[in-house]
Amino acid sequence: MNRVALLRAVNVGGRKVAMADLRALFVKLDFGDAKTLLNSGNVVFSADRRSDGTLEKLFEAETEKKFKVKAEFFVRTTQEMQALVAANPFPKEAKTDPGHLLVVFMKNAPSAKDVAAVEAANKGRERLKAIGKNLYVHYPDGVGESKLRFPWIGSGRNWNTVLKIVDLLS
């Protein structure tokens, strides 16, 4: 079963992990077919039947041990990635502004009440939609200028990267 492991908050703010080293870690953990994509902590690999949560904990512990970096991983299957592409609530933005459409991968789905509170507090032009453990956010003015804040820990990838991951998984 092909999966992707998405590493949160590396190669920003001084938290460096070289992708060749990350791939080597996965090989050491018996995921010999691991491939990295871009420099933002995306690893595609074949996995056994262990749960996503079990794999996340393994990767987090080994990354901290090997690189001295405490960071979260978010694991998704090929089917989950294909489903999140199909469920995209912002198809127009995916075509016309894919660099400003992000998917934030989370460990747990936020409640409808929490999403509504974030939407109500948003003073900008950003739009968001939570579907399961994925949060889709369109930042028409760019992420760097945004004042949108949400309380969930996750790891974001822009739409272009999401599509490259799905392509690599297939």
Side-chain angles (χ1 to χ4, degrees):
M1 170 187 309
N2 283 342
R3 298 190 198 185
V4 62
L6 305 153
L7 181 55
R8 177 179 178 262
V10 294
N11 300 334
V12 294
R15 295 167 43 106
K16 300 280 185 200
V17 176
M19 293 303 100
D21 295 340
L22 185 60
R23 183 188 175 289
L25 175 65
F26 273 66
V27 169
K28 178 182 160 253
L29 295 172
D30 291 329
F31 301 105
D33 64 342
K35 296 178 184 84
T36 58
L37 176 69
L38 305 174
N39 200 35
S40 53
N42 309 299
V43 185
V44 171
F45 62 100
S46 293
D48 50 30
R49 296 199 179 275
R50 285 181 276 188
S51 72
D52 292 348
T54 298
L55 290 169
E56 289 167 352
K57 288 176 187 164
L58 171 67
F59 300 151
E60 289 164 1
E62 293 295 324
T63 298
E64 186 170 6
K65 188 169 29 172
K66 170 87 172 152
F67 304 117
K68 310 295 185 248
V69 172
K70 187 169 177 61
E72 294 84 12
F73 275 90
F74 303 85
V75 174
R76 299 292 193 269
T77 66
T78 300
Q79 293 78 13
E80 288 171 320
M81 292 297 293
Q82 291 169 337
L84 84 83
V85 168
N88 176 13
F90 303 115
K92 178 181 163 234
E93 291 79 359
K95 287 188 185 334
T96 62
D97 195 18
H100 290 138
L101 175 58
L102 269 67
V103 177
V104 180
F105 299 88
M106 300 175 291
K107 294 201 188 236
N108 300 299
S111 71
K113 179 181 170 186
D114 288 341
V115 174
V118 169
E119 289 174 320
N122 181 23
K123 303 297 183 218
R125 297 188 322 137
E126 300 85 0
R127 293 185 306 145
L128 61 120
K129 172 82 175 170
I131 300 176
K133 299 186 299 182
N134 305 308
L135 180 69
Y136 301 78
V137 186
H138 181 239
Y139 293 91
D141 303 317
V143 177
E145 300 300 315
S146 176
K147 304 287 188 251
L148 177 67
R149 299 291 176 259
F150 42 86
W152 315 293
I153 292 177
S155 190
R157 301 296 188 275
N158 75 34
W159 195 249
N160 293 320
T161 301
V162 167
L163 294 179
K164 286 177 185 173
I165 291 168
V166 170
D167 188 47
L168 193 56
L169 282 164
S170 298

